Amino acid sequence: MTWDLVTLNSGYVMPSIAYGTWTLGNGQGPIDQIAQAFDTQYYHIDTAQGYRNEGEVGIALHESGLSRGDVFITTKYSGFDGLDIPTAIRNSVNNIGTPYVDLYLIHNPRLAVPDIPTAWAEMEKVAEDGLAKSIGVSNFGVQDLEILLASAKIKPAVNQILLHPYVYLQQAPIVEYAAEHDIVIEAYSALRPLTKEPSGPLDAPLNEIATRLGATTDQVLLAWTKAKGAVIVTTSSKKTRLEGYQDAGDIGECHLEE
């Protein structure tokens, strides 16, 4: 299961596969799902203010018996309830029941109000105050990052974006720009061609490669995403699928028609 740690420009390390809670909702269900993720060696949990399940992440962590340092927690400023960044991050760490998160992201550039430089200065204060070890962004394009970097004292460690073969040509400029500036790309919805857009042009090459490698098509997609240099955020309610995603880390570099 070769999902190595990735060193961020902040100096901290991050597991290169994460269990995402975007679709889990709240209540006992996500607590059980996160516990299952821990059992299958997912020690990077991705949540957000907007997912309304930061508390469930905290409960699952507390009940797991794992120490805080064993788990990398990402959450995001989603602009919910009209809260500003300084208030939202304090609510998030209180919800999770931890003195800090490992990574704090601005969920979308439109949430950077009144503008990106002002919002990013607030994010830098979050890092300076020790509430997040690393800070970053999500769904930012090249122009957004150019604006941010023009005034930043601390570079974003991560940009979390939609990434799969059907959108790769569209996303290639931001993937390349991030690499040039030592910003790690995190990919969400990497399996969308299988889960939401099946029977497309990707099916044939995916099936051919999977057959040749003795792998599943979802493993091939994850290997392709890893080969693009991205950290992966994925999810499943099925333990066997989670185990299969872990095994995808051992698949060699995959090339698909883009």
Side-chain angles (χ1 to χ4, degrees), residues 4-17 44 72 74 103 105 134-140 145 155-161 163 174-187 225-226 228-233:
D4 298 327
L5 293 172
V6 172
T7 301
L8 303 174
N9 60 31
S10 59
Y12 293 100
V13 295
M14 176 173 71
S16 59
I17 189 166
H44 178 179
F72 189 102
T74 296
L103 179 63
L105 308 178
S134 303
I135 53 175
V137 295
S138 181
N139 299 304
F140 272 50
L145 279 181
K155 287 205 301 187
V158 163
N159 184 17
Q160 187 179 119
I161 63 170
L163 188 62
I174 189 60
V175 171
E176 293 165 6
Y177 185 87
E180 290 168 6
H181 292 271
D182 194 24
I183 298 168
V184 168
I185 288 290
E186 274 191 293
T225 310
K226 181 185 177 188
K228 297 302 181 187
V231 168
I232 290 169
V233 181

Side-chain angles (χ1 to χ4, degrees), residues 7-235:
T7 301
L8 303 174
N9 60 31
S10 59
Y12 293 100
V13 295
M14 176 173 71
S16 59
I17 189 166
Y19 184 78
T21 67
W22 176 18
T23 59
L24 299 190
N26 50 37
Q28 188 60 42
I31 295 171
D32 294 340
Q33 296 296 327
I34 295 163
Q36 180 172 258
F38 288 146
D39 288 343
T40 29
Q41 300 182 52
Y42 289 78
Y43 300 122
H44 178 179
I45 305 298
D46 181 275
T47 184
Q49 180 191 28
Y51 303 166
R52 304 287 196 185
N53 54 27
E54 292 172 322
E56 284 80 354
V57 171
I59 292 169
L61 174 61
H62 176 73
E63 292 181 349
S64 72
L66 295 164
S67 70
R68 178 62 188 87
D70 292 333
V71 180
F72 189 102
I73 297 176
T74 296
T75 193
K76 310 175 191 75
Y77 171 69
S78 306
F80 264 45
D81 301 325
L83 300 178
D84 59 13
I85 288 171
T87 305
I89 182 58
R90 283 175 169 79
N91 284 351
S92 288
V93 296
N94 287 337
N95 288 338
I96 299 168
T98 178
Y100 67 92
V101 294
D102 295 278
L103 179 63
Y104 193 50
L105 308 178
I106 298 176
H107 212 152
N108 192 288
R110 70 173 181 273
L111 301 171
V113 294
D115 52 47
I116 289 173
T118 303
W120 189 249
E122 292 179 344
M123 293 289 286
E124 291 176 332
K125 184 70 162 52
V126 167
E128 290 162 4
D129 289 345
L131 295 171
K133 289 188 173 182
S134 303
I135 53 175
V137 295
S138 181
N139 299 304
F140 272 50
V142 171
Q143 185 176 10
D144 302 317
L145 279 181
E146 286 175 341
I147 293 169
L148 187 156
L149 290 174
S151 63
K153 298 176 190 173
I154 301 172
K155 287 205 301 187
V158 163
N159 184 17
Q160 187 179 119
I161 63 170
L162 174 69
L163 188 62
H164 57 72
Y166 288 151
V167 298
Y168 182 68
L169 290 181
Q170 168 191 329
Q171 296 289 55
I174 189 60
V175 171
E176 293 165 6
Y177 185 87
E180 290 168 6
H181 292 271
D182 194 24
I183 298 168
V184 168
I185 288 290
E186 274 191 293
Y188 66 82
S189 297
L191 298 178
R192 187 178 179 90
L194 292 173
T195 60
K196 302 293 185 183
E197 302 176 38
S199 303
L202 198 59
D203 282 18
L206 269 179
N207 286 322
E208 185 275 323
I209 294 170
T211 299
R212 174 163 49 84
L213 296 177
T216 62
T217 51
D218 50 10
Q219 288 174 328
V220 171
L221 261 185
L222 293 179
W224 176 90
T225 310
K226 181 185 177 188
K228 297 302 181 187
V231 168
I232 290 169
V233 181
T234 191
T235 195

